[in-house]
Short mmCIF file of all heavy atoms in Angstrom, two decimals:
data_model
loop_
_atom_site.label_atom_id
_atom_site.label_comp_id
_atom_site.label_asym_id
_atom_site.label_seq_id
_atom_site.Cartn_x
_atom_site.Cartn_y
_atom_site.Cartn_z
N MET C 1 11.32 -7.01 1.09
CA MET C 1 11.32 -6.30 2.36
C MET C 1 12.72 -5.74 2.64
O MET C 1 12.83 -4.62 3.12
CB MET C 1 10.86 -7.24 3.47
CG MET C 1 10.85 -6.59 4.84
SD MET C 1 9.73 -5.19 4.96
CE MET C 1 8.63 -5.78 6.17
N GLU C 2 13.76 -6.52 2.32
CA GLU C 2 15.12 -6.05 2.58
C GLU C 2 15.42 -4.77 1.82
O GLU C 2 16.08 -3.87 2.36
CB GLU C 2 16.14 -7.13 2.21
CG GLU C 2 16.16 -8.30 3.17
CD GLU C 2 17.17 -9.35 2.78
OE1 GLU C 2 18.22 -8.98 2.22
OE2 GLU C 2 16.91 -10.53 3.01
N LYS C 3 14.93 -4.69 0.58
CA LYS C 3 15.17 -3.49 -0.22
C LYS C 3 14.47 -2.27 0.39
O LYS C 3 15.02 -1.18 0.40
CB LYS C 3 14.71 -3.70 -1.66
CG LYS C 3 15.60 -4.61 -2.45
CD LYS C 3 15.12 -4.74 -3.88
CE LYS C 3 16.02 -5.68 -4.65
NZ LYS C 3 15.62 -5.77 -6.06
N ARG C 4 13.25 -2.48 0.88
CA ARG C 4 12.53 -1.36 1.50
C ARG C 4 13.23 -0.89 2.76
O ARG C 4 13.36 0.31 3.00
CB ARG C 4 11.08 -1.75 1.81
CG ARG C 4 10.25 -1.89 0.57
CD ARG C 4 8.80 -2.01 0.87
NE ARG C 4 8.58 -3.02 1.91
CZ ARG C 4 7.39 -3.37 2.35
NH1 ARG C 4 6.33 -2.80 1.88
NH2 ARG C 4 7.26 -4.28 3.28
N VAL C 5 13.68 -1.83 3.57
CA VAL C 5 14.39 -1.46 4.81
C VAL C 5 15.67 -0.73 4.45
O VAL C 5 16.00 0.31 5.05
CB VAL C 5 14.66 -2.70 5.68
CG1 VAL C 5 15.58 -2.35 6.84
CG2 VAL C 5 13.35 -3.28 6.20
N ALA C 6 16.41 -1.25 3.45
CA ALA C 6 17.66 -0.59 3.04
C ALA C 6 17.39 0.83 2.54
O ALA C 6 18.16 1.76 2.84
CB ALA C 6 18.34 -1.42 1.96
N LYS C 7 16.30 1.01 1.81
CA LYS C 7 15.94 2.34 1.31
C LYS C 7 15.73 3.30 2.49
O LYS C 7 16.23 4.43 2.47
CB LYS C 7 14.66 2.25 0.47
CG LYS C 7 14.11 3.60 0.03
CD LYS C 7 12.81 3.45 -0.74
CE LYS C 7 11.65 3.40 0.21
NZ LYS C 7 10.34 3.50 -0.43
N HIS C 8 15.04 2.83 3.50
CA HIS C 8 14.76 3.70 4.65
C HIS C 8 16.00 3.90 5.51
O HIS C 8 16.17 4.97 6.10
CB HIS C 8 13.57 3.18 5.45
CG HIS C 8 12.30 3.34 4.69
ND1 HIS C 8 11.74 4.57 4.40
CD2 HIS C 8 11.50 2.43 4.10
CE1 HIS C 8 10.65 4.41 3.69
NE2 HIS C 8 10.48 3.11 3.50
N ARG C 9 16.87 2.91 5.58
CA ARG C 9 18.13 3.11 6.30
C ARG C 9 18.93 4.23 5.64
O ARG C 9 19.45 5.12 6.32
CB ARG C 9 18.95 1.82 6.32
CG ARG C 9 18.48 0.81 7.30
CD ARG C 9 19.40 -0.39 7.34
NE ARG C 9 18.90 -1.37 8.27
CZ ARG C 9 18.96 -2.66 8.09
NH1 ARG C 9 19.52 -3.16 7.01
NH2 ARG C 9 18.48 -3.49 9.00
N ASP C 10 19.04 4.16 4.31
CA ASP C 10 19.77 5.21 3.58
C ASP C 10 19.12 6.58 3.80
O ASP C 10 19.81 7.56 4.05
CB ASP C 10 19.80 4.89 2.08
CG ASP C 10 20.67 3.70 1.75
OD1 ASP C 10 21.50 3.28 2.61
OD2 ASP C 10 20.53 3.17 0.63
N ARG C 11 17.81 6.60 3.70
CA ARG C 11 17.08 7.87 3.85
C ARG C 11 17.28 8.44 5.26
O ARG C 11 17.52 9.64 5.42
CB ARG C 11 15.60 7.65 3.56
CG ARG C 11 14.81 8.95 3.56
CD ARG C 11 13.40 8.73 3.09
NE ARG C 11 13.42 8.47 1.66
CZ ARG C 11 12.45 7.87 1.00
NH1 ARG C 11 11.38 7.47 1.62
NH2 ARG C 11 12.54 7.68 -0.30
N CYS C 12 17.20 7.58 6.27
CA CYS C 12 17.34 8.06 7.65
C CYS C 12 18.76 8.57 7.90
O CYS C 12 18.95 9.55 8.63
CB CYS C 12 16.96 6.96 8.64
SG CYS C 12 15.18 6.60 8.61
N GLN C 13 19.76 7.91 7.30
CA GLN C 13 21.13 8.42 7.43
C GLN C 13 21.25 9.78 6.76
O GLN C 13 21.91 10.67 7.29
CB GLN C 13 22.13 7.43 6.81
CG GLN C 13 22.48 6.31 7.74
CD GLN C 13 23.60 5.45 7.19
OE1 GLN C 13 23.37 4.64 6.30
NE2 GLN C 13 24.78 5.66 7.70
N GLN C 14 20.61 9.95 5.61
CA GLN C 14 20.63 11.24 4.93
C GLN C 14 19.98 12.32 5.78
O GLN C 14 20.36 13.48 5.72
CB GLN C 14 19.95 11.15 3.57
CG GLN C 14 20.72 10.33 2.56
CD GLN C 14 19.93 10.10 1.28
OE1 GLN C 14 18.79 10.54 1.14
NE2 GLN C 14 20.54 9.40 0.34
N TYR C 15 18.99 11.94 6.56
CA TYR C 15 18.32 12.90 7.46
C TYR C 15 19.20 13.24 8.66
O TYR C 15 18.89 14.15 9.42
CB TYR C 15 17.00 12.34 7.98
CG TYR C 15 15.90 12.20 6.95
CD1 TYR C 15 14.87 11.30 7.15
CD2 TYR C 15 15.86 12.97 5.80
CE1 TYR C 15 13.84 11.15 6.23
CE2 TYR C 15 14.85 12.85 4.88
CZ TYR C 15 13.84 11.93 5.09
OH TYR C 15 12.83 11.79 4.19
N GLY C 16 20.28 12.47 8.85
CA GLY C 16 21.20 12.76 9.94
C GLY C 16 21.10 11.84 11.15
O GLY C 16 21.79 12.05 12.15
N PHE C 17 20.25 10.83 11.07
CA PHE C 17 20.15 9.88 12.17
C PHE C 17 21.35 8.94 12.12
O PHE C 17 21.79 8.53 11.05
CB PHE C 17 18.85 9.07 12.09
CG PHE C 17 17.62 9.90 12.31
CD1 PHE C 17 16.85 10.32 11.25
CD2 PHE C 17 17.24 10.26 13.59
CE1 PHE C 17 15.71 11.08 11.44
CE2 PHE C 17 16.10 11.02 13.81
CZ PHE C 17 15.34 11.43 12.73
N MET C 18 21.89 8.59 13.27
CA MET C 18 23.06 7.74 13.36
C MET C 18 22.65 6.28 13.54
O MET C 18 21.87 5.97 14.45
CB MET C 18 23.95 8.16 14.55
CG MET C 18 24.46 9.59 14.45
SD MET C 18 25.50 9.87 13.01
CE MET C 18 26.86 8.79 13.38
N PRO C 19 23.15 5.38 12.65
CA PRO C 19 22.85 3.96 12.80
C PRO C 19 23.23 3.46 14.21
O PRO C 19 24.22 3.90 14.78
CB PRO C 19 23.72 3.29 11.74
CG PRO C 19 23.94 4.36 10.71
CD PRO C 19 24.00 5.64 11.49
N GLY C 20 22.41 2.58 14.73
CA GLY C 20 22.67 2.03 16.06
C GLY C 20 21.97 2.78 17.17
O GLY C 20 21.98 2.35 18.31
N THR C 21 21.34 3.93 16.84
CA THR C 21 20.62 4.69 17.86
C THR C 21 19.13 4.35 17.82
O THR C 21 18.62 3.87 16.80
CB THR C 21 20.80 6.22 17.66
OG1 THR C 21 20.20 6.58 16.40
CG2 THR C 21 22.27 6.61 17.67
N ASP C 22 18.46 4.63 18.92
CA ASP C 22 17.01 4.41 18.97
C ASP C 22 16.29 5.28 17.95
O ASP C 22 15.32 4.85 17.32
CB ASP C 22 16.46 4.70 20.37
CG ASP C 22 16.88 3.67 21.40
OD1 ASP C 22 17.31 2.56 21.00
OD2 ASP C 22 16.79 3.97 22.61
N GLU C 23 16.77 6.50 17.77
CA GLU C 23 16.14 7.43 16.83
C GLU C 23 16.24 6.88 15.40
O GLU C 23 15.30 6.99 14.61
CB GLU C 23 16.79 8.82 16.91
CG GLU C 23 16.52 9.55 18.20
CD GLU C 23 17.46 9.11 19.34
OE1 GLU C 23 18.43 8.37 19.08
OE2 GLU C 23 17.20 9.52 20.49
N PHE C 24 17.39 6.32 15.06
CA PHE C 24 17.58 5.73 13.74
C PHE C 24 16.61 4.56 13.53
O PHE C 24 15.94 4.47 12.49
CB PHE C 24 19.03 5.25 13.57
CG PHE C 24 19.33 4.65 12.23
CD1 PHE C 24 19.60 5.45 11.14
CD2 PHE C 24 19.36 3.27 12.07
CE1 PHE C 24 19.87 4.89 9.90
CE2 PHE C 24 19.64 2.70 10.84
CZ PHE C 24 19.90 3.51 9.75
N ALA C 25 16.51 3.69 14.52
CA ALA C 25 15.60 2.54 14.44
C ALA C 25 14.16 2.99 14.28
O ALA C 25 13.40 2.43 13.47
CB ALA C 25 15.76 1.66 15.68
N ARG C 26 13.75 4.03 15.02
CA ARG C 26 12.38 4.54 14.91
C ARG C 26 12.14 5.14 13.53
O ARG C 26 11.06 4.99 12.95
CB ARG C 26 12.10 5.56 16.00
CG ARG C 26 11.79 4.94 17.35
CD ARG C 26 11.20 5.95 18.33
NE ARG C 26 12.17 6.93 18.76
CZ ARG C 26 13.00 6.80 19.79
NH1 ARG C 26 12.98 5.69 20.50
NH2 ARG C 26 13.84 7.76 20.12
N CYS C 27 13.15 5.84 13.00
CA CYS C 27 13.03 6.43 11.66
C CYS C 27 12.81 5.35 10.62
O CYS C 27 11.91 5.46 9.78
CB CYS C 27 14.28 7.25 11.35
SG CYS C 27 14.29 7.98 9.69
N VAL C 28 13.61 4.30 10.65
CA VAL C 28 13.49 3.20 9.69
C VAL C 28 12.13 2.52 9.85
O VAL C 28 11.42 2.28 8.87
CB VAL C 28 14.63 2.18 9.85
CG1 VAL C 28 14.40 0.96 8.98
CG2 VAL C 28 15.98 2.83 9.53
N GLU C 29 11.75 2.23 11.08
CA GLU C 29 10.47 1.57 11.34
C GLU C 29 9.30 2.41 10.83
O GLU C 29 8.39 1.90 10.18
CB GLU C 29 10.31 1.30 12.83
CG GLU C 29 9.01 0.62 13.18
CD GLU C 29 8.85 0.38 14.67
OE1 GLU C 29 9.50 1.08 15.47
OE2 GLU C 29 8.05 -0.49 15.02
N LYS C 30 9.35 3.70 11.08
CA LYS C 30 8.26 4.58 10.64
C LYS C 30 8.19 4.61 9.10
O LYS C 30 7.09 4.58 8.53
CB LYS C 30 8.44 5.98 11.18
CG LYS C 30 7.35 6.94 10.74
CD LYS C 30 7.12 8.01 11.75
CE LYS C 30 6.07 8.98 11.29
NZ LYS C 30 4.73 8.60 11.65
N GLY C 31 9.32 4.64 8.45
CA GLY C 31 9.34 4.65 6.99
C GLY C 31 8.72 3.39 6.40
O GLY C 31 7.90 3.46 5.48
N VAL C 32 9.10 2.25 6.93
CA VAL C 32 8.57 0.97 6.44
C VAL C 32 7.08 0.88 6.73
O VAL C 32 6.29 0.49 5.86
CB VAL C 32 9.33 -0.22 7.06
CG1 VAL C 32 8.66 -1.53 6.73
CG2 VAL C 32 10.79 -0.23 6.60
N THR C 33 6.68 1.27 7.92
CA THR C 33 5.27 1.23 8.31
C THR C 33 4.44 2.15 7.42
O THR C 33 3.34 1.79 6.98
CB THR C 33 5.10 1.62 9.79
OG1 THR C 33 5.86 0.72 10.58
CG2 THR C 33 3.65 1.56 10.22
N THR C 34 4.97 3.33 7.13
CA THR C 34 4.27 4.29 6.27
C THR C 34 4.09 3.72 4.87
O THR C 34 3.02 3.84 4.27
CB THR C 34 5.02 5.63 6.23
OG1 THR C 34 5.09 6.16 7.55
CG2 THR C 34 4.32 6.63 5.33
N ASP C 35 5.15 3.09 4.33
CA ASP C 35 5.03 2.45 3.01
C ASP C 35 3.93 1.41 3.00
O ASP C 35 3.13 1.35 2.07
CB ASP C 35 6.35 1.78 2.62
CG ASP C 35 7.39 2.75 2.09
OD1 ASP C 35 7.07 3.95 1.93
OD2 ASP C 35 8.53 2.30 1.84
N GLU C 36 3.90 0.56 4.03
CA GLU C 36 2.89 -0.50 4.10
C GLU C 36 1.49 0.10 4.19
O GLU C 36 0.57 -0.38 3.53
CB GLU C 36 3.16 -1.40 5.30
CG GLU C 36 4.38 -2.26 5.14
CD GLU C 36 4.73 -3.06 6.38
OE1 GLU C 36 4.08 -2.89 7.42
OE2 GLU C 36 5.67 -3.87 6.29
N GLN C 37 1.34 1.14 4.97
CA GLN C 37 0.02 1.76 5.12
C GLN C 37 -0.44 2.39 3.81
O GLN C 37 -1.60 2.27 3.43
CB GLN C 37 0.03 2.81 6.23
CG GLN C 37 -1.33 3.37 6.55
CD GLN C 37 -2.30 2.30 7.05
OE1 GLN C 37 -1.97 1.55 7.95
NE2 GLN C 37 -3.47 2.21 6.45
N ARG C 38 0.47 3.03 3.10
CA ARG C 38 0.12 3.63 1.80
C ARG C 38 -0.32 2.56 0.81
O ARG C 38 -1.26 2.76 0.05
CB ARG C 38 1.31 4.40 1.24
CG ARG C 38 1.53 5.71 1.92
CD ARG C 38 2.68 6.47 1.30
NE ARG C 38 2.90 7.71 2.02
CZ ARG C 38 4.08 8.30 2.12
NH1 ARG C 38 5.14 7.78 1.54
NH2 ARG C 38 4.20 9.42 2.78
N PHE C 39 0.37 1.42 0.81
CA PHE C 39 -0.01 0.32 -0.07
C PHE C 39 -1.43 -0.15 0.26
O PHE C 39 -2.26 -0.30 -0.63
CB PHE C 39 0.98 -0.84 0.04
CG PHE C 39 0.51 -2.07 -0.67
CD1 PHE C 39 0.63 -2.18 -2.04
CD2 PHE C 39 -0.07 -3.11 0.04
CE1 PHE C 39 0.19 -3.31 -2.70
CE2 PHE C 39 -0.52 -4.25 -0.61
CZ PHE C 39 -0.39 -4.34 -1.98
N HIS C 40 -1.69 -0.40 1.54
CA HIS C 40 -3.01 -0.88 1.94
C HIS C 40 -4.10 0.14 1.65
O HIS C 40 -5.19 -0.22 1.20
CB HIS C 40 -3.02 -1.27 3.42
CG HIS C 40 -2.22 -2.50 3.70
ND1 HIS C 40 -2.57 -3.74 3.24
CD2 HIS C 40 -1.07 -2.67 4.38
CE1 HIS C 40 -1.68 -4.63 3.62
NE2 HIS C 40 -0.75 -4.02 4.31
N ASP C 41 -3.82 1.43 1.87
CA ASP C 41 -4.79 2.48 1.59
C ASP C 41 -5.12 2.52 0.09
O ASP C 41 -6.27 2.63 -0.30
CB ASP C 41 -4.29 3.84 2.05
CG ASP C 41 -4.25 3.98 3.56
OD1 ASP C 41 -4.82 3.11 4.26
OD2 ASP C 41 -3.63 4.94 4.05
N ALA C 42 -4.08 2.43 -0.74
CA ALA C 42 -4.29 2.47 -2.19
C ALA C 42 -5.08 1.24 -2.64
O ALA C 42 -6.00 1.35 -3.45
CB ALA C 42 -2.95 2.53 -2.92
N PHE C 43 -4.74 0.08 -2.11
CA PHE C 43 -5.44 -1.15 -2.48
C PHE C 43 -6.90 -1.08 -2.07
O PHE C 43 -7.79 -1.42 -2.84
CB PHE C 43 -4.77 -2.35 -1.82
CG PHE C 43 -5.42 -3.65 -2.15
CD1 PHE C 43 -5.19 -4.27 -3.36
CD2 PHE C 43 -6.27 -4.26 -1.24
CE1 PHE C 43 -5.79 -5.48 -3.67
CE2 PHE C 43 -6.88 -5.46 -1.55
CZ PHE C 43 -6.64 -6.08 -2.76
N ASN C 44 -7.17 -0.61 -0.87
CA ASN C 44 -8.54 -0.58 -0.36
C ASN C 44 -9.38 0.54 -0.94
O ASN C 44 -10.60 0.52 -0.83
CB ASN C 44 -8.53 -0.48 1.17
CG ASN C 44 -8.03 -1.75 1.81
OD1 ASN C 44 -8.21 -2.83 1.28
ND2 ASN C 44 -7.38 -1.61 2.95
N SER C 45 -8.74 1.53 -1.57
CA SER C 45 -9.51 2.66 -2.09
C SER C 45 -10.01 2.41 -3.51
O SER C 45 -10.77 3.21 -4.04
CB SER C 45 -8.66 3.94 -2.08
OG SER C 45 -7.64 3.86 -3.05
N GLU C 46 -9.57 1.31 -4.13
CA GLU C 46 -10.05 1.02 -5.47
C GLU C 46 -11.55 0.72 -5.40
O GLU C 46 -11.99 -0.12 -4.64
CB GLU C 46 -9.32 -0.18 -6.07
CG GLU C 46 -7.89 0.14 -6.45
CD GLU C 46 -7.26 -1.00 -7.23
OE1 GLU C 46 -8.00 -1.81 -7.83
OE2 GLU C 46 -6.03 -1.05 -7.22
N LYS C 47 -12.29 1.43 -6.19
CA LYS C 47 -13.74 1.26 -6.21
C LYS C 47 -14.13 0.33 -7.35
O LYS C 47 -13.57 0.39 -8.44
CB LYS C 47 -14.44 2.61 -6.40
CG LYS C 47 -14.08 3.65 -5.36
CD LYS C 47 -14.67 3.29 -4.03
CE LYS C 47 -14.39 4.43 -3.06
NZ LYS C 47 -14.50 4.05 -1.71
N VAL C 48 -15.08 -0.52 -7.08
CA VAL C 48 -15.57 -1.45 -8.08
C VAL C 48 -17.09 -1.34 -8.13
O VAL C 48 -17.75 -1.29 -7.10
CB VAL C 48 -15.15 -2.90 -7.74
CG1 VAL C 48 -15.73 -3.87 -8.75
CG2 VAL C 48 -13.65 -3.03 -7.69
N ARG C 49 -17.59 -1.27 -9.33
CA ARG C 49 -19.04 -1.21 -9.51
C ARG C 49 -19.43 -2.40 -10.37
O ARG C 49 -18.82 -2.66 -11.41
CB ARG C 49 -19.42 0.09 -10.22
CG ARG C 49 -20.89 0.22 -10.53
CD ARG C 49 -21.18 1.53 -11.20
NE ARG C 49 -20.31 1.70 -12.35
CZ ARG C 49 -20.74 1.86 -13.59
NH1 ARG C 49 -22.02 1.92 -13.85
NH2 ARG C 49 -19.89 2.00 -14.59
N CYS C 50 -20.40 -3.13 -9.92
CA CYS C 50 -20.85 -4.30 -10.67
C CYS C 50 -22.28 -4.10 -11.13
O CYS C 50 -23.10 -3.53 -10.41
CB CYS C 50 -20.76 -5.57 -9.81
SG CYS C 50 -19.07 -6.00 -9.35
N GLU C 51 -22.54 -4.54 -12.34
CA GLU C 51 -23.88 -4.47 -12.90
C GLU C 51 -24.33 -5.88 -13.24
O GLU C 51 -23.58 -6.66 -13.82
CB GLU C 51 -23.88 -3.60 -14.16
CG GLU C 51 -23.51 -2.16 -13.90
CD GLU C 51 -23.43 -1.34 -15.19
OE1 GLU C 51 -23.55 -1.93 -16.28
OE2 GLU C 51 -23.23 -0.14 -15.07
N GLU C 52 -25.56 -6.20 -12.88
CA GLU C 52 -26.12 -7.51 -13.18
C GLU C 52 -27.21 -7.35 -14.24
O GLU C 52 -27.98 -6.41 -14.22
CB GLU C 52 -26.70 -8.13 -11.92
CG GLU C 52 -25.67 -8.44 -10.87
CD GLU C 52 -26.25 -9.05 -9.61
OE1 GLU C 52 -27.47 -8.92 -9.39
OE2 GLU C 52 -25.48 -9.65 -8.85
N GLU C 53 -27.21 -8.29 -15.15
CA GLU C 53 -28.20 -8.27 -16.22
C GLU C 53 -28.81 -9.66 -16.33
O GLU C 53 -28.10 -10.66 -16.28
CB GLU C 53 -27.52 -7.88 -17.53
CG GLU C 53 -28.48 -7.71 -18.68
CD GLU C 53 -27.76 -7.21 -19.92
OE1 GLU C 53 -27.13 -6.15 -19.85
OE2 GLU C 53 -27.81 -7.94 -20.93
N TYR C 54 -30.11 -9.69 -16.41
CA TYR C 54 -30.81 -10.97 -16.51
C TYR C 54 -31.43 -11.10 -17.88
O TYR C 54 -32.02 -10.16 -18.41
CB TYR C 54 -31.92 -11.06 -15.45
CG TYR C 54 -31.40 -11.10 -14.03
CD1 TYR C 54 -31.17 -9.94 -13.31
CD2 TYR C 54 -31.12 -12.31 -13.43
CE1 TYR C 54 -30.69 -9.98 -12.01
CE2 TYR C 54 -30.65 -12.38 -12.13
CZ TYR C 54 -30.44 -11.21 -11.43
OH TYR C 54 -29.96 -11.26 -10.15
N GLU C 55 -31.27 -12.28 -18.45
CA GLU C 55 -31.92 -12.61 -19.71
C GLU C 55 -32.49 -14.01 -19.56
O GLU C 55 -31.75 -15.00 -19.60
CB GLU C 55 -30.92 -12.55 -20.86
CG GLU C 55 -31.57 -12.71 -22.22
CD GLU C 55 -30.57 -12.51 -23.34
OE1 GLU C 55 -29.80 -11.55 -23.29
OE2 GLU C 55 -30.58 -13.37 -24.25
N GLY C 56 -33.76 -14.08 -19.28
CA GLY C 56 -34.37 -15.37 -18.97
C GLY C 56 -33.82 -15.89 -17.66
O GLY C 56 -33.86 -15.21 -16.64
N ASN C 57 -33.29 -17.09 -17.64
CA ASN C 57 -32.69 -17.68 -16.44
C ASN C 57 -31.20 -17.40 -16.35
O ASN C 57 -30.54 -17.87 -15.43
CB ASN C 57 -32.92 -19.20 -16.42
CG ASN C 57 -34.37 -19.54 -16.18
OD1 ASN C 57 -35.09 -18.77 -15.57
ND2 ASN C 57 -34.79 -20.69 -16.68
N LYS C 58 -30.67 -16.67 -17.32
CA LYS C 58 -29.23 -16.41 -17.37
C LYS C 58 -28.91 -15.05 -16.73
O LYS C 58 -29.54 -14.05 -17.06
CB LYS C 58 -28.74 -16.43 -18.80
CG LYS C 58 -27.26 -16.25 -18.94
CD LYS C 58 -26.85 -16.30 -20.41
CE LYS C 58 -25.38 -16.03 -20.54
NZ LYS C 58 -24.98 -15.96 -21.94
N LYS C 59 -27.96 -15.07 -15.82
CA LYS C 59 -27.53 -13.84 -15.15
C LYS C 59 -26.10 -13.53 -15.57
O LYS C 59 -25.22 -14.39 -15.53
CB LYS C 59 -27.59 -14.02 -13.63
CG LYS C 59 -27.07 -12.85 -12.84
CD LYS C 59 -27.20 -13.17 -11.35
CE LYS C 59 -26.13 -12.49 -10.55
NZ LYS C 59 -26.19 -12.80 -9.14
N THR C 60 -25.86 -12.29 -15.97
CA THR C 60 -24.52 -11.85 -16.35
C THR C 60 -24.11 -10.72 -15.42
O THR C 60 -24.89 -9.79 -15.17
CB THR C 60 -24.49 -11.33 -17.80
OG1 THR C 60 -24.99 -12.35 -18.67
CG2 THR C 60 -23.09 -10.93 -18.23
N THR C 61 -22.91 -10.79 -14.88
CA THR C 61 -22.40 -9.75 -14.00
C THR C 61 -21.12 -9.19 -14.59
O THR C 61 -20.21 -9.93 -14.95
CB THR C 61 -22.09 -10.30 -12.59
OG1 THR C 61 -23.28 -10.89 -12.06
CG2 THR C 61 -21.62 -9.20 -11.65
N GLU C 62 -21.06 -7.87 -14.72
CA GLU C 62 -19.86 -7.19 -15.19
C GLU C 62 -19.43 -6.19 -14.13
O GLU C 62 -20.27 -5.44 -13.61
CB GLU C 62 -20.13 -6.48 -16.52
CG GLU C 62 -20.39 -7.42 -17.66
CD GLU C 62 -20.51 -6.71 -18.99
OE1 GLU C 62 -19.90 -5.63 -19.15
OE2 GLU C 62 -21.21 -7.24 -19.87
N CYS C 63 -18.14 -6.19 -13.83
CA CYS C 63 -17.62 -5.27 -12.82
C CYS C 63 -16.59 -4.35 -13.46
O CYS C 63 -15.81 -4.77 -14.33
CB CYS C 63 -16.99 -6.04 -11.67
SG CYS C 63 -18.18 -7.08 -10.77
N TYR C 64 -16.59 -3.09 -13.02
CA TYR C 64 -15.70 -2.08 -13.55
C TYR C 64 -14.98 -1.37 -12.40
O TYR C 64 -15.61 -1.06 -11.39
CB TYR C 64 -16.48 -1.02 -14.34
CG TYR C 64 -17.41 -1.60 -15.38
CD1 TYR C 64 -18.73 -1.90 -15.06
CD2 TYR C 64 -16.95 -1.85 -16.65
CE1 TYR C 64 -19.58 -2.43 -16.00
CE2 TYR C 64 -17.80 -2.40 -17.61
CZ TYR C 64 -19.11 -2.67 -17.28
OH TYR C 64 -19.95 -3.20 -18.22
N LYS C 65 -13.71 -1.11 -12.60
CA LYS C 65 -12.99 -0.29 -11.62
C LYS C 65 -13.13 1.16 -12.05
O LYS C 65 -13.08 1.48 -13.21
CB LYS C 65 -11.51 -0.66 -11.58
CG LYS C 65 -11.22 -1.95 -10.89
CD LYS C 65 -9.74 -2.17 -10.78
CE LYS C 65 -9.47 -3.46 -10.03
NZ LYS C 65 -8.04 -3.69 -9.85
N TYR C 66 -13.30 2.04 -11.06
CA TYR C 66 -13.35 3.47 -11.36
C TYR C 66 -12.70 4.24 -10.27
O TYR C 66 -12.29 3.76 -9.28
CB TYR C 66 -14.76 3.95 -11.62
CG TYR C 66 -15.72 3.76 -10.47
CD1 TYR C 66 -15.97 4.81 -9.59
CD2 TYR C 66 -16.37 2.56 -10.25
CE1 TYR C 66 -16.86 4.65 -8.53
CE2 TYR C 66 -17.26 2.39 -9.21
CZ TYR C 66 -17.50 3.44 -8.36
OH TYR C 66 -18.38 3.28 -7.33
#
C-alpha cells in the first residue's frame, strides 16, 4: 500500500498539486481508489465456465477461464 500511495504522491506532484493541500490529498486518494477499483473490476470480470460429466455414479467437473 505504501508503494501505491508513494506512486500517486509523485504523480500528483508532477500534475502540479502541492503537498499539504486538500487538492493534493484528493488527488492521491482518487489515484489509490481508482487502482483498487480497477483491480476489483478485473478480478470480477474473469469468466468461468464449468462442465459436468456423469459416468455411472461418478461426477466430474471441469472449469475453464475464458
Side-chain angles (χ1 to χ4, degrees):
M1 180 61 118
E2 288 180 33
K3 288 182 181 183
R4 289 191 312 182
V5 171
K7 174 183 86 169
H8 290 292
R9 283 185 181 142
D10 291 344
R11 186 172 288 159
C12 291
Q13 278 187 283
Q14 290 173 359
Y15 291 156
F17 293 101
M18 300 298 296
T21 64
D22 289 343
E23 292 82 9
F24 181 81
R26 281 193 291 272
C27 177
V28 173
E29 180 181 21
K30 180 151 178 88
V32 171
T33 302
T34 299
D35 281 355
E36 290 174 355
Q37 187 61 51
R38 285 182 182 151
F39 170 79
H40 290 294
D41 290 348
F43 180 79
N44 290 330
S45 70
E46 288 188 23
K47 303 290 185 200
V48 177
R49 177 179 53 120
C50 295
E51 296 176 354
E52 295 180 341
E53 185 175 302
Y54 293 89
E55 187 174 313
N57 290 333
K58 184 179 176 185
K59 175 180 150 182
T60 305
T61 303
E62 292 186 28
C63 297
Y64 309 91
K65 286 186 178 182
Y66 60 96

